[in-house]
Amino acid sequence: MNSQHPNDTTDVPAVGADSPFRQEHVLRDEAPQFVLPLVVRIEKTEPPARTDALETAARAVLVMLTDERSRGEGEWAEAVRDWQDARIRKVVRRARGAEWRKAQTLPGVTVHGDTSEVRVFPPVPLDGWPKELAKLQVSGTDLDDPEPVAAVTGPGLPVLWFNPALDMSAGKEMAQAGHAAQLAWWELTDAERAAWQDSGFALAVRTAPRERWAELSGSGLPVVRDAGFTEIAPGSATVIADHPALRARL
């Protein structure tokens, strides 16, 4: 298996034709398939706000990619390389109470938002989930925003724009937001990555206005196209990663 992957480059990574999000059958389909598990904490009495959960999930993926244990000879590095050599699958499950506390005992990183907590774990084989995570619910994860979500102001904040024509569960959207953040990360230079990391991976997740989606889709910014395993049709464009550094290159 090719040991090179985007985190090992010193310049702009070549995603393009070799992107793990492409639909065509390519050599990476022959590789063992891994999945990145994410677990969102959803207590009955105080569930997180939907948009905050999406933003926290996106940041959690970036935290995993940049954790020292995921790089070089770190203890998670081989699993992360194997995962990125295959299709970039992410699955979001939900937990509360004792389930959440058990999930915290497994190796991983918990990322906090304003109202949400998401724990991201090193990649595992598709059929090799730890039992503490395998029994957690994956379908039907849904959340709401109790207050209107503020508009994004200022040109410096990366925004992950969702397709306004698609209807997805919160769990599905959390995975898609993670995909978009990862695509943006791969296309940044080392200096741009360092600046984003220094900001705490500041970003926003919003649904694009319908009248703007076409412009975004044709802009050349990274686009996530779903594999179609759940909820939506294969090849659907779900999210566009609008990072200021990438927009400046258009």
Side-chain angles (χ1 to χ4, degrees):
M1 181 178 296
N2 180 9
S3 63
Q4 296 296 314
H5 68 98
N7 278 355
D8 293 333
T9 63
T10 57
D11 204 347
V12 179
V15 179
D18 196 37
S19 170
F21 297 100
R22 288 175 64 89
Q23 301 308 305
E24 294 84 350
H25 187 87
V26 293
L27 287 178
R28 68 175 66 251
D29 292 310
E30 307 301 330
Q33 298 296 304
F34 288 74
V35 61
L36 186 77
L38 298 103
V39 175
V40 56
R41 183 180 185 181
I42 303 181
E43 300 290 347
K44 284 185 176 180
T45 55
E46 292 184 277
R50 185 185 185 101
T51 297
D52 188 64
L54 302 183
E55 294 172 348
T56 304
R59 290 191 292 111
V61 171
L62 297 170
V63 167
M64 172 56 66
L65 290 174
T66 55
D67 192 288
E68 62 182 11
R69 291 165 289 186
S70 298
R71 304 167 66 88
E73 300 302 318
E75 61 187 285
W76 300 341
E78 183 176 1
V80 171
R81 283 194 294 270
D82 287 345
W83 170 59
Q84 293 194 106
D85 280 344
R87 292 286 177 182
I88 307 301
R89 301 189 184 192
K90 301 176 182 70
V91 172
V92 177
R93 297 178 183 262
R94 63 182 186 272
R96 65 171 183 262
E99 293 174 334
W100 175 254
R101 290 190 292 273
K102 286 181 181 178
Q104 295 290 303
T105 66
L106 299 178
V109 183
T110 299
V111 178
H112 298 263
D114 291 336
T115 64
S116 58
E117 295 177 71
V118 175
R119 188 163 181 85
V120 59
F121 303 86
V124 297
L126 279 177
D127 57 354
W129 284 70
K131 64 180 186 300
E132 294 88 348
L133 302 182
K135 65 183 180 181
L136 299 178
Q137 292 294 316
V138 61
S139 62
T141 299
D142 217 346
L143 299 166
D144 294 312
D145 283 311
E147 302 291 338
V149 179
V152 176
T153 57
L157 186 67
V159 182
L160 310 179
W161 294 105
F162 269 82
N163 186 340
L166 297 178
D167 185 18
M168 294 177 278
S169 68
K172 177 76 171 180
E173 285 194 343
M174 289 172 69
Q176 299 297 305
H179 292 338
Q182 190 169 0
L183 280 182
W185 179 256
W186 281 351
E187 295 201 16
L188 296 175
T189 65
D190 284 351
E192 291 162 350
R193 290 176 176 181
W196 201 9
Q197 187 170 8
D198 287 346
S199 76
F201 297 120
L203 56 83
V205 173
R206 298 291 188 271
T207 298
R210 289 184 178 273
E211 64 276 10
R212 195 178 174 209
W213 178 253
E215 179 268 321
L216 287 165
S217 298
S219 66
L221 292 166
V223 181
V224 178
R225 294 191 180 276
D226 192 62
F229 294 120
T230 60
E231 298 192 25
I232 57 177
S236 297
T238 58
V239 195
I240 293 172
D242 189 356
H243 191 289
L246 302 182
R247 180 169 284 279
R249 299 205 267 276
L250 298 178

